[in-house]
Amino acid sequence: MDEADRLLEIERLSLLDTPPEPVFDAIVAAARSATGMTMGLISVVAEQRQWFKANIGLEGVSETSRDISFCTHAIEQDTLFEVADTRQDPRFSSNPLVTGGPRIRHYVGIALGSAYGARIGTLCLLDPMPGVLSPSQRELMVHLARVTTQVLEQRSALLAQVGQAKALHRELKRSEDFLERTNRAARVGGWELDLHSNEVRWTRETKHIHGVRGNYQPTLESALSFYRADSRSIMQSAVQRCIDEGTPWEIQVPMTTADHRDIWVRVVGGRQQVDGHTRLVGAIQDITDERAVLDALEASETRYRRLFHYSLGLICTHTLDGTLTSVNPAAVQSLGFEESQMVGRSLGALMPADRRDAFDAYLARIAAAHTDSGVIELIGADGHRRYWAYHNVLDEEADPPYVLGHAQDVTALRQQERILRELSQRDPLTHCHNRRYLHRLDALVDANWACLLFDLDHFKQINDLQGHRRGDAVLVEFATFLRRPLAEREVVVRLGGDEFLVVLDAPPARLAALEGWYRQHAAAAPTPFSMGSAEHRPGEALAETIHRADTQLYRTRARIRQQMHPAQAPDSGH
């Protein structure tokens, strides 16, 4: 796809210069959390600039010139594009984003493709330190890029459907205004039938409606001859009832004029006494334009009903107090209720109890601003939570006013985000917590807790002599060994490499019991290990507590090795 078509795709997706949206921020946060890189963006590469739809970590910047854009290179790649150290890459070493703030050293970007194959931007990560992503992190970036592309297309479809709904309402309003104007501008002709002389009189406008001119005055028979046979019999019956019984009439029928125009007319008539003579007096109006407007309204309403019924989007209407007045089949299916169980019920009653205040705030916003967007939580018929990303508008000209709601079910996406967040906090090999768990301990400055630090002895020899596959197996087996004696709230953290940390509540007896258990069952471990422990002191930094456990581990290892090899000095490291 050439550059012109690519720019058209960006325009179709309606992304540039739009406000932040939580779903894109969540995707960037997941990527940033999973890799540990400090800055994350979803960029749109426009003609002269790259603009950021989502931005975490690059505060104060919403766009950059395209000529210094890393993402311009990324969208030209078929796979993930990574620059491990920009200072060593001649393409970027003199880039002002490298030489000045934010001093980018490590860049990772993957192109975001549209449904039509255009690469419109990237999901990218930046860091002031050089580095390389692991295979699992690269795979996660590819997966998140696919998720971002799907969300972009779902967002585009949602905006299009909302636009169609708005256009439909505008068309209905225009049709109603047009009908009012034609009524004001309509000219009405008059007629009279003298029952004594059987003479018919037409006004000038009546003659104009019939397509005749001059002094033409018809008989009753010739007047009725303008109507088609089926309409003529209706008119004759109405006239005769009025003559015999005095019953007035108002009829809309088609007719053909003298100048061969097929039109619709509204004919009204009644019996009156005029100057001592019984006469039929009435009016005729060309309602062809009015009929056309009515047909257009009917066709427009039919289109609206089809959109409402068959749309895959979730469409509903509710009053300003939140009472549902209509729901389409897609919305009914999303929640699993019958339509009768939803219409007439407050939308707030379908929400979790802890979200009712948020619903009241939503009603206040839409009453004030006449539009609102966001994500709401609902409880389905099965008791599970559903998440709807909505964009609602208030039709204030309706009587009474009502809210037209259009939403997309994003429950699966929210669940996927939750899984990704959980995966980002776990070591993919051993399923232990990773170093991000330590942020929780950072917050427990004055709390009581303790830790056991473990380091595998001579682990490098296992990798060198038996291979990394065996080394990975040993790590997994050792993590299982560490979990065996732990209680529910005690966790294992893989600090990296062959270092593990067991975190537990602080009672000294429990710490001593665990130390004893690990020493007693050391033979059951897949490889020898060294161990150190420390109790956290109130006010002490996390790093200091772990350092004390590390110091004890080192001293214990040195003492054991000295006992085993008294002629050798202890190692200087572990």
Side-chain angles (χ1 to χ4, degrees):
M1 182 173 288
D2 61 25
E3 180 67 4
D5 289 339
R6 193 185 71 81
L7 295 175
L8 286 175
E9 277 295 275
I10 292 176
E11 183 177 350
R12 178 184 70 82
L13 292 170
S14 300
L15 280 172
L16 281 176
D17 303 317
T18 57
E21 296 177 44
V23 64
F24 297 111
D25 292 341
I27 291 171
V28 170
R32 183 168 167 262
S33 178
T35 60
M37 296 180 70
T38 57
M39 294 167 276
L41 307 168
I42 290 179
S43 71
V44 180
V45 182
E47 184 176 8
Q48 301 294 335
R49 58 180 175 140
Q50 69 167 356
W51 175 82
F52 307 137
K53 177 62 180 173
N55 179 346
I56 299 179
L58 196 60
E59 286 77 16
V61 181
S62 62
E63 61 180 53
T64 64
S65 174
R66 187 172 172 181
D67 59 357
I68 61 171
S69 164
F70 285 64
C71 297
T72 295
H73 297 268
I75 64 172
E76 295 174 355
Q77 310 298 318
D78 293 329
T79 58
L80 184 139
F81 177 65
E82 182 173 15
V83 181
D85 190 342
T86 57
R87 291 184 184 176
Q88 305 302 318
D89 192 321
R91 293 173 296 181
F92 305 107
S93 57
S94 61
N95 189 299
L97 300 175
V98 175
T99 58
R103 299 191 180 277
I104 299 169
R105 293 288 300 278
H106 184 195
Y107 171 85
V108 178
I110 183 166
L112 302 176
S114 74
Y116 299 99
R119 295 171 181 170
I120 55 97
T122 70
L123 168 64
C124 66
L125 298 169
L126 318 153
D127 201 89
M129 298 295 292
V132 177
L133 294 189
S134 69
S136 61
Q137 290 170 333
R138 293 174 69 90
E139 182 179 352
L140 177 63
M141 286 290 290
V142 171
H143 179 68
L144 288 176
R146 292 197 193 101
V147 170
T148 305
T149 298
Q150 292 170 358
V151 173
L152 287 173
E153 290 298 335
Q154 290 173 353
R155 175 185 180 277
S156 176
L158 178 61
L159 289 176
Q161 289 171 342
V162 171
Q164 289 173 1
K166 289 181 178 178
L168 181 57
H169 276 271
R170 288 195 296 270
E171 180 62 26
L172 286 170
K173 184 65 171 58
R174 282 196 295 268
S175 298
E176 291 169 355
D177 292 344
F178 178 67
L179 179 58
E180 183 179 347
R181 289 195 300 272
T182 56
N183 286 338
R184 287 198 305 265
R187 291 177 297 177
V188 178
W191 60 267
E192 183 182 76
L193 169 64
D194 189 327
L195 296 180
H196 177 70
S197 65
N198 209 32
E199 179 182 321
V200 176
R201 292 182 182 179
W202 282 357
T203 65
R204 180 182 299 175
E205 185 60 29
T206 303
K207 293 177 183 179
H208 177 73
I209 291 172
H210 285 79
V212 298
R213 300 176 183 278
N215 297 324
Y216 177 82
Q217 293 295 341
T219 64
L220 177 58
E221 183 178 354
S222 62
L224 293 174
S225 69
F226 286 89
Y227 300 94
R228 298 198 301 258
D230 53 346
S231 302
R232 191 181 311 146
S233 63
I234 295 173
M235 289 293 297
Q236 287 172 329
S237 298
V239 170
Q240 194 62 51
R241 281 196 305 272
C242 190
I243 293 172
D244 297 340
E245 304 171 10
T247 305
W249 81 86
E250 178 177 347
I251 298 174
Q252 296 182 19
V253 287
M255 65 175 287
T256 302
T257 66
D259 51 359
H260 309 294
R261 290 179 295 111
D262 292 324
I263 65 172
W264 274 81
V265 292
R266 177 185 292 115
V267 184
V268 296
R271 191 173 68 183
Q272 296 182 9
Q273 290 292 322
V274 180
D275 298 332
H277 295 280
T278 303
R279 299 182 180 183
L280 300 186
V281 179
I284 185 170
Q285 181 183 21
D286 184 345
I287 60 169
T288 305
D289 290 341
E290 183 181 330
R291 290 285 304 195
V293 171
L294 289 173
D295 290 343
L297 278 171
E298 184 177 347
S300 182
E301 180 140 349
T302 299
R303 288 194 297 271
Y304 173 78
R305 286 174 179 165
R306 287 176 180 169
L307 174 64
F308 183 83
H309 188 80
Y310 294 109
S311 173
L312 296 178
L314 315 177
I315 303 175
C316 67
T317 58
H318 67 74
T319 61
L320 280 173
D321 67 359
T323 302
L324 288 167
T325 53
S326 67
V327 287
N328 76 333
V332 170
Q333 183 178 8
S334 173
L335 294 181
F337 291 107
E338 297 291 336
E339 182 180 355
S340 60
Q341 294 175 300
M342 296 180 65
V343 173
R345 189 176 179 185
S346 172
L347 183 59
L350 300 173
M351 300 175 65
D354 60 355
R355 302 297 296 166
R356 302 288 167 78
D357 290 344
F359 181 62
D360 293 338
Y362 153 74
L363 292 177
R365 287 196 305 272
I366 205 161
H370 299 175
T371 183
D372 195 54
S373 300
V375 177
I376 61 172
E377 297 180 34
L378 300 170
I379 302 295
D382 58 4
H384 294 154
R385 296 202 180 199
R386 304 285 193 278
Y387 297 88
W388 287 9
Y390 69 89
H391 181 81
N392 295 358
V393 293
L394 173 67
D395 187 345
E396 58 182 325
E397 296 184 5
D399 187 19
Y402 72 92
V403 176
L404 173 63
H406 196 285
Q408 204 77 18
D409 191 329
V410 294
T411 305
L413 181 61
R414 292 292 289 261
Q415 292 173 342
Q416 194 171 46
E417 290 172 3
R418 179 182 57 77
I419 293 171
L420 289 174
R421 283 195 300 271
E422 183 175 337
L423 290 175
S424 72
Q425 297 172 1
R426 294 279 182 175
D427 172 43
L429 177 64
T430 63
H431 301 295
C432 298
H433 288 282
N434 58 26
R435 294 186 67 91
R436 292 181 184 86
Y437 182 84
L438 301 182
H439 292 304
R440 302 184 190 181
L441 299 181
D442 269 331
L444 303 178
V445 176
D446 297 319
N448 293 321
W449 57 273
C451 65
L452 291 162
L453 184 65
F454 295 85
D455 190 40
L456 305 189
D457 296 340
H458 308 297
F459 181 70
K460 185 175 182 301
Q461 294 180 12
I462 296 176
N463 281 331
D464 292 344
L465 300 177
Q466 302 179 49
H468 287 278
R469 178 174 296 181
R470 175 56 189 160
D472 287 348
V474 168
L475 293 174
V476 171
E477 293 170 11
F478 190 71
T480 301
F481 167 75
L482 292 179
R483 292 189 190 100
R484 283 175 56 191
L486 298 185
E488 181 179 355
R489 296 181 58 189
E490 298 168 344
V491 299
V492 179
V493 180
R494 184 183 176 194
L495 297 178
D498 58 344
E499 286 189 315
F500 292 83
L501 187 74
V502 170
V503 181
L504 61 149
D505 290 337
R510 179 58 181 162
L511 178 62
L514 278 180
E515 284 186 281
W517 190 94
Y518 287 125
R519 289 193 186 95
Q520 182 180 355
H521 295 84
T527 187
F529 61 88
S530 298
M531 176 176 62
S533 65
E535 292 185 45
H536 176 69
R537 297 166 181 168
E540 183 180 53
L542 167 68
E544 180 59 28
T545 304
I546 295 178
H547 176 70
R548 289 194 293 107
D550 187 52
T551 300
Q552 186 190 93
L553 180 150
Y554 172 69
R555 289 173 178 170
T556 301
R557 172 183 284 172
R559 184 174 62 254
I560 292 173
R561 291 183 179 178
Q562 182 65 28
Q563 292 170 354
M564 294 175 60
H565 306 285
Q568 298 179 7
D571 292 344
S572 61
H574 59 278

